[in-house]
Amino acid sequence: YFNELATKLLPPHDASAFNQAIMDFGATVCRPVPECNRCFFSRNCVAYLRGTQHQFPVKKKKPVTATRWLNYIVVRNRNYVAVRQRTGSDIWNQLHEFVLIETPGLREASHVIDMFRQQFGVQQVTLEKSIQKTQKLTHQKLYLQFNVVTLTTRPAWPDFAWVDTRKLDEQAFPVTLKRFIADHLA
């Protein structure tokens, strides 16, 4: 109902000004502690006329924040890095990433590298560096570990492409991975 009503009231050629005005109104007058004495609409406001204006807006329960440990294996061979595009409905859908091993908690870099060896069938892996970062999303706290490793070959892995490090900026990466690339691979 409210969506239909808002659509009817929305000026078709100046929707941004209307939206800004509504946000300003909510920020200055119709706030959690409303200033009904300043409001031009109070004579028509159902909440004000019923004396229930202090009950609005109804606060939603805070969403549960999930904690995740994302271990990226940045697999290098000369000037190339293994990259894939994310699929599914998880965070960063359709964006690119490196090899990812998600674990239920913090793991030492050596343990993550052993998991990588097993899952991807490689033996000759040299760990160059391991870098930890954190990122807070709306409903998730991410602990990120970037393990930069070198391989002597470029295996053909399904869903992965070997991308020249000079062309990584042509790929659509999440901001956190872009920062890592700029700081450690460029």
Side-chain angles (χ1 to χ4, degrees):
Y1 169 78
F2 289 111
N3 191 25
E4 287 178 31
L5 180 61
T7 302
K8 287 178 187 174
L9 295 173
L10 192 66
H13 300 295
D14 204 8
S16 63
F18 178 84
N19 289 333
Q20 185 63 49
I22 293 296
M23 289 189 294
D24 290 346
F25 181 72
T28 58
V29 178
C30 199
R31 311 173 333 165
V33 178
E35 297 192 22
C36 299
N37 59 334
R38 292 181 45 210
C39 181
F40 66 91
F41 191 71
S42 61
R43 289 180 294 192
N44 299 307
C45 177
V46 174
Y48 178 74
L49 295 172
R50 291 183 181 166
T52 59
Q53 70 271 27
H54 293 287
Q55 296 174 9
F56 298 98
V58 176
K59 300 217 184 223
K60 294 179 183 178
K61 292 181 182 177
K62 276 193 162 187
V64 176
T65 301
T67 302
R68 296 174 68 182
W69 285 266
L70 306 179
N71 303 280
Y72 283 105
I73 312 295
V74 183
V75 185
R76 294 172 58 126
N77 174 269
R78 296 192 178 125
N79 290 334
Y80 290 86
V81 179
V83 174
R84 78 173 186 115
Q85 188 173 24
R86 292 181 65 92
T87 59
S89 59
D90 198 6
I91 59 171
W92 303 329
N93 185 27
Q94 299 300 312
L95 297 180
H96 291 84
E97 69 179 353
F98 307 111
V99 173
L100 173 64
I101 298 176
E102 187 166 354
T103 55
L106 179 64
R107 297 291 185 268
E108 292 290 327
S110 60
H111 184 247
V112 175
I113 300 303
D114 287 342
M115 293 170 72
F116 165 69
R117 281 187 177 110
Q118 287 182 329
Q119 288 181 26
F120 285 80
V122 293
Q123 295 305 315
Q124 299 293 349
V125 179
T126 304
L127 177 64
E128 292 179 24
K129 57 185 162 184
S130 184
I131 297 155
Q132 287 76 32
K133 303 274 183 191
T134 59
Q135 182 176 1
K136 180 86 167 92
L137 302 176
T138 308
H139 304 293
Q140 297 184 37
K141 175 141 188 192
L142 305 178
Y143 291 92
L144 302 123
Q145 183 181 89
F146 294 92
N147 298 295
V148 181
V149 301
T150 304
L151 296 185
T152 56
T153 62
R154 277 186 238 150
W157 295 322
D159 302 325
F160 282 89
W162 289 92
V163 178
D164 189 316
T165 54
R166 294 168 294 200
K167 295 186 178 185
L168 284 174
D169 60 342
E170 296 173 12
Q171 307 294 315
F173 284 97
V175 172
T176 302
L177 274 69
K178 281 183 182 181
R179 287 184 189 136
F180 171 81
I181 291 167
D183 293 345
H184 301 284
L185 294 180

